[in-house]
Amino acid sequence: MTSAADSALRCFADAVGAAHVVTDRPALEAAGTATFAWSQRVLAVVRPGDRREVQECVRIANRYRVTLYPVSSGRNWGFGSSVPTTDGAVLLHLGRMNRILELNETLAYATIEPGVTQGQLFEHLREHHPGLWIDATASSPDCSLVGNVMERGIGFTPYADHVAQVCALEVVLPTGQCIETGFAHIPGAKAARVFSSGVGPQLDGLFIQSGFGIVTRLTLWLMPAPRRFLACYFNLAKDGDLEPMVDAIRVLRLHGTLRSPVNLYNDCSVLSSICQYPWGEAAGTTPLPGEVLDAMKRTWDMGAWHGSLGLYGTDTEVRQRRRLIRRSFRPLVRRLNFLDDRKIRLARLLDAPYRTVRGVSPVALLEHTMPGYGLLKGIPTDQALSSAYWRKKERPPPAMDPGRDRCGQIWCTPISPLEGRHLRSVVGIATRVLPAYGFEPIISMRIVTERAVHCTVAVAYDRDVTGQDESALLCYAELLARLAESGYYPYRIGVQSMPPLHGAEGDRACFLRTLKQTVDPNNILAPGRYL
Ligand SMILES: Cc1cc2nc3c(=O)[nH]c(=O)nc-3n(C[C@H](O)[C@H](O)[C@H](O)COP(=O)(O)OP(=O)(O)OC[C@H]3O[C@@H](n4cnc5c(N)ncnc54)[C@H](O)[C@@H]3O)c2cc1C
């Protein structure tokens, strides 16, 4: 360690308390390890307790020219976990800053610090404000809400577009100054927490997917619990049915019949979330042989694609939308079901007699649906994390941590226009590229807005199998390149792709670099992150 780094660490300890500067080797190794073969040496993990301590850390970093990489909970699995963009950085872990600063029930918002997790806010609301819902991701309940916003993350309810639901960011700049966005910078502004743009240039976007500042507080809008909630599940018999289905969804979305996300999962995606790779049946080979996949689909009574969505509103609104969805989806689907709390209670009541007569348990079938059902209601769960263990030979442990357990997971997240023909292209590319490297095409899509689709292709593997780390990165690189060739670019990238291949040249890149040099003259904050 250089003497400057040594001095910086002593100053960090003075600023945040020695107990909050972590330098032991296993902790640093964990902090610098992703769910794929990408790691960086982390100098220390520094855990400030409030905004002033963050400012002091930034001043120290400038004084000693030490790089800071902020994370809120550092569980950005599939995109790099907490691994910084450069070697030798100090990981500024904001997990201790986990206060819910304000909860306004009338206007349905919470002002939170970056360490607040989705599980924490969910439990707080359940206990004190049951009329309000959060929007959760399928990742762990221990994931932060702010870190997810910083990556433009998405969820499952009508509030799924997370960036669209925040305002009044408090940001520590790389110089140590602190600003607030929207009206929040004006003392006494009454609409500070309810109107994101304020007046003049809107600054929020500058701090998302960038290295322009450290967000130390923001306001998150919450969803009033609807009078009625109904989940809709459907599946499609064959791949070819995806295209007309997507076109039907677009019509419903654009015309306002559907006002919430629609989720689509291919067969491999569903299987990876309900079971593990059938090593025995596949006789140890990869990727999954077609006949084994077909047999598994018969066992689980599956189609080629499965879909889910939530309906939210009054009794009348939900009833009307269900009727319109039925009319539109029926000719296209293999199965179409609606599920609500009443049906679930009934299934539990009838479980024993039904099992005796028909030999199958409705509750057992429901249990596979429940995590997804809960997510449609903003209930965080860690059950989807088991999909990261798809290729592992051991069962997922009760407390899952894909990074620690050497699960291989790389996400590729192209955005497509909401047209069946485009999704056919994206699916075609993924189903050609992944098997060529020995992986299953695990594909899901979330239709969060009216005109575009968030696609996710997972490269899932076991990091303990020799050679898989290398194949997975090559596979990901080819997938990204093939998608880009066809005009499909990711909305979010992993640390291994930073700075992004596309957009490194030209006037836009020059403008961003000028901004970065201006706000961060010593380049101490997350260098290379998305720029
Ligand atoms: C099975 C599975 C399912 C998943 N499902 C989803 C899903 O449904 N939706 C989804 O969006 N993601 C999903 N993910 C991906 C990921 O786990 C989540 O997005 C998670 O919320 C990100 O981790 P985090 O909240 O700990 O963010 P962090 O790791 O804390 O932050 C992410 C990045 O944002 C920046 N950052 C963080 N905090 C700040 C700050 N305060 N100021 C400035 N910059 C900051 C940093 O560069 C950091 O690297 C899933 C992952 C898995 C394995």
Side-chain angles (χ1 to χ4, degrees), residues 435-484:
Y437 288 86
F439 304 111
E440 295 69 47
I442 296 177
I443 309 170
S444 61
M445 301 169 179
R446 226 172 287 169
I447 300 167
V448 175
T449 59
E450 286 79 8
R451 294 171 183 82
V453 187
H454 288 69
C455 306
T456 303
V457 183
V459 183
Y461 65 102
D462 182 355
R463 298 202 63 199
D464 285 325
V465 175
T466 311
Q468 293 272 283
D469 263 341
E470 293 77 10
S471 305
L473 277 179
L474 288 173
C475 176
Y476 167 77
E478 174 158 2
L479 183 61
L480 210 56
R482 294 282 92 82
L483 287 164

Side-chain angles (χ1 to χ4, degrees), residues 69-79 81-83 94 114 118 136-140 142-156 162 207 210 213-216 384-388 402 409 411 446 491-492 525-526 529-530:
Y69 191 79
V71 296
S72 291
S73 67
R75 293 184 169 86
N76 199 15
W77 294 310
F79 299 100
S81 309
S82 61
V83 178
L94 305 171
Q118 37 178 12
T137 70
S139 199
S140 160
D142 296 332
C143 284
S144 71
L145 294 152
V146 171
N148 186 265
V149 168
M150 293 300 110
E151 283 284 320
R152 292 210 181 93
I154 51 169
F156 294 84
H162 291 168
F207 300 104
S210 74
I214 302 167
V215 174
T216 46
L385 274 187
S386 65
S387 64
Q409 183 85 267
W411 298 119
R446 226 172 287 169
Y491 80 95
R492 174 175 179 181
L525 191 67
R529 178 168 147 80
Y530 285 98

Side-chain angles (χ1 to χ4, degrees), residues 510-523:
C510 180
F511 173 66
L512 288 177
R513 274 198 294 271
T514 307
L515 278 181
K516 177 71 174 162
Q517 277 154 15
T518 309
V519 298
D520 187 6
N522 296 322
N523 204 20

Side-chain angles (χ1 to χ4, degrees), residues 276 290 305 476:
Q276 284 180 279
W305 285 86
Y476 167 77

